[in-house]
Amino acid sequence: MKTSSLVSQRTMAVVIISLVSAIAALLLIAFIQQPVHDNALREVVFANLDKTGVSNPVTAVLLNYRAFDTYLEFAVFLCVAVAVLPYVLDVQLPKQKLSAESQVLAIAKIFVPLSILMAGYLLWIGSTQPGGAFQAASLLAGCLVLLSLANVRTIDFSTARSRFLLSGGLLAFIVVNIVVFSQTFCFITLPQNIAGSLILFIEFFATFAVSASLFLCFESIHKGHL
Amino acid sequence: MAIDLWIDVILCLSVLFVASSIFLVKNTFSAIVLFICLGLVVMFCWIRLNAIDVAIAEAAIGSGLTGAMLIAAWRKLAFNESGDQPDEQKEKSE
């Protein structure tokens, strides 16, 4: 009995190892057979950069050339937020008073204002240099995580305001594109003269939406019931 | 030139080393810490590829927030395995 189970285990191991090696070999062959990457798109991006309203090529691709992809990404974030929302809705709030200062709170008091400042800087600088909404959002989410670990109440996800916060990026994108479409009849194409400010408008709301979604994911595990 | 190449080789090897050691350690907590380390090593790779914004996102989301989530989940798992403490609390609250 014992030997037969041992044998079947060994055959299973052989099957698994051969399958994994076969997939790895296929991936390697696919990787080698890929044509050499030519930077044809790079020249197109740089040639039309002055029409996008921003001078950072990454932001131009994310929010102007390929705005629809980013728009769908915001929608995915919203779906994730909706999926994990039930875990935090009827959780008891922390009863612990803040009078007894914890170590985490002492750290949070120093780092949270600095991180908020840095997030604002990253959001603003995103139009000319590396940075942007996602980086700022991850910094803000880090702040919220730190505050949550220090037992500070930050966002009450049962209120309607927090729902607007979570869907803010998508709403801003939809509103901007409906207004632009009603004026110019171009679908998801920002007019050249105000593209920069429209991108900043969308990024502003997207920052809060993404950071709230990321924080909600953390909170659903940290405070949520099992 | 040669130093650049050696930095790249060391980064590639360390990514493979850290990633494989995640699967080889038995302890869950060590695996989580190694995952966070992997995020930081990958962040250096992105910096070498001149993608600073991806590096920032990788450091903050890939290792920071995901690491925090994994550690929170690990705490819950450890809590549940250690005894009936959380269940009693739940009954009291209900």
Side-chain angles (χ1 to χ4, degrees), chain A residues 92 135 138 145 217 221 224 226, chain B residues 53 60-61 69 73 76 80 93:
Chain A
Q92 308 134 297
Q135 287 76 20
S138 53
V145 166
C217 289
I221 300 173
L226 291 162
Chain B
D53 27 15
I61 300 176
M69 274 181 219
K76 287 226 150 156
N80 270 21
S93 69

Side-chain angles (χ1 to χ4, degrees), chain A residues 98 100-110 146-147 150-152:
Chain A
L98 285 178
E101 289 221 343
S102 62
Q103 297 274 325
V104 185
L105 189 63
I107 297 170
K109 273 181 177 170
I110 299 169
L146 201 56
L147 287 172
N151 264 332
V152 180

Side-chain angles (χ1 to χ4, degrees), chain B residues 21-38:
Chain B
S21 57
I22 291 175
F23 293 100
L24 294 177
V25 293
K26 291 267 159 60
N27 190 355
T28 317
F29 187 73
S30 323
I32 294 170
V33 172
L34 281 168
F35 179 80
I36 296 170
C37 292
L38 178 70

Side-chain angles (χ1 to χ4, degrees), chain B residues 44-65:
Chain B
F44 280 113
C45 296
W46 285 118
I47 292 175
R48 281 292 300 156
L49 290 168
N50 267 332
I52 307 295
D53 27 15
V54 186
I56 299 170
E58 172 66 42
I61 300 176
S63 56
L65 278 170

Side-chain angles (χ1 to χ4, degrees), chain A residues 48-54 56-70 173 177 187-192 194-196 198-199 202:
Chain A
N48 296 306
L49 201 57
D50 51 338
K51 291 178 193 164
T52 59
V54 290
N56 178 14
V58 177
T59 311
V61 170
L62 279 180
L63 282 141
N64 206 320
Y65 298 130
R66 296 272 177 171
F68 195 62
D69 292 16
T70 315
F173 204 98
N177 279 300
F187 185 58
I188 316 194
T189 309
L190 301 175
Q192 278 180 37
I194 52 166
L198 286 180
I199 285 174
I202 295 169

Side-chain angles (χ1 to χ4, degrees), chain A:
Chain A
M1 192 67 193
K2 206 176 178 186
T3 48
S4 70
S5 73
L6 206 70
V7 166
S8 68
Q9 230 174 22
R10 190 162 290 172
T11 44
M12 275 302 288
V14 168
V15 167
I16 289 171
I17 288 171
S18 50
L19 273 175
V20 169
S21 325
I23 291 170
L26 271 175
L27 284 175
L28 271 179
I29 291 168
F31 180 69
I32 290 165
Q33 282 188 340
Q34 222 178 20
V36 180
H37 187 65
D38 60 332
N39 284 321
L41 277 174
R42 184 188 166 90
E43 281 154 32
V44 180
V45 166
F46 277 102
N48 296 306
L49 201 57
D50 51 338
K51 291 178 193 164
T52 59
V54 290
S55 55
N56 178 14
V58 177
T59 311
V61 170
L62 279 180
L63 282 141
N64 206 320
Y65 298 130
R66 296 272 177 171
F68 195 62
D69 292 16
T70 315
Y71 158 63
L72 290 178
E73 231 167 272
F74 294 155
V76 168
F77 267 106
L78 188 63
C79 289
V80 171
V82 170
V84 297
L85 200 56
Y87 286 101
V88 293
L89 276 187
D90 47 352
V91 172
Q92 308 134 297
L93 300 164
K95 289 168 198 152
Q96 200 176 321
K97 287 279 181 192
L98 285 178
S99 55
E101 289 221 343
S102 62
Q103 297 274 325
V104 185
L105 189 63
I107 297 170
K109 273 181 177 170
I110 299 169
F111 276 101
V112 166
L114 282 176
S115 304
I116 291 172
L117 206 65
M118 189 67 195
Y121 172 74
L122 274 177
L123 178 63
W124 178 251
I125 207 73
S127 61
T128 53
Q129 278 165 41
F134 281 98
Q135 287 76 20
S138 53
L139 264 179
L140 277 184
C143 285
L144 288 169
V145 166
L146 201 56
L147 287 172
S148 167
L149 288 175
N151 264 332
V152 180
R153 268 187 66 190
T154 44
I155 303 176
D156 186 3
F157 283 105
S158 56
T159 58
R161 270 180 306 166
S162 68
R163 311 285 164 84
F164 274 108
L165 192 68
L166 284 170
S167 51
L170 200 57
L171 283 179
F173 204 98
I174 291 170
V175 165
V176 163
N177 279 300
I178 286 175
V179 169
V180 167
F181 184 75
S182 65
Q183 299 293 318
T184 63
F185 298 102
C186 298
F187 185 58
I188 316 194
T189 309
L190 301 175
Q192 278 180 37
N193 49 345
I194 52 166
S197 37
L198 286 180
I199 285 174
L200 192 67
F201 176 79
I202 295 169
E203 278 199 315
F204 179 79
F205 285 99
T207 303
F208 290 110
V210 171
S211 62
S213 310
L214 288 173
F215 174 60
L216 181 58
C217 289
F218 172 76
E219 196 78 338
S220 67
I221 300 173
H222 182 234
K223 294 261 168 76
H225 42 75
L226 291 162

Side-chain angles (χ1 to χ4, degrees), chain B residues 70-86:
Chain B
L70 286 173
I71 287 177
W74 170 77
R75 265 182 60 197
K76 287 226 150 156
L77 281 176
F79 223 45
N80 270 21
E81 281 167 7
S82 66
D84 302 324
Q85 191 74 12

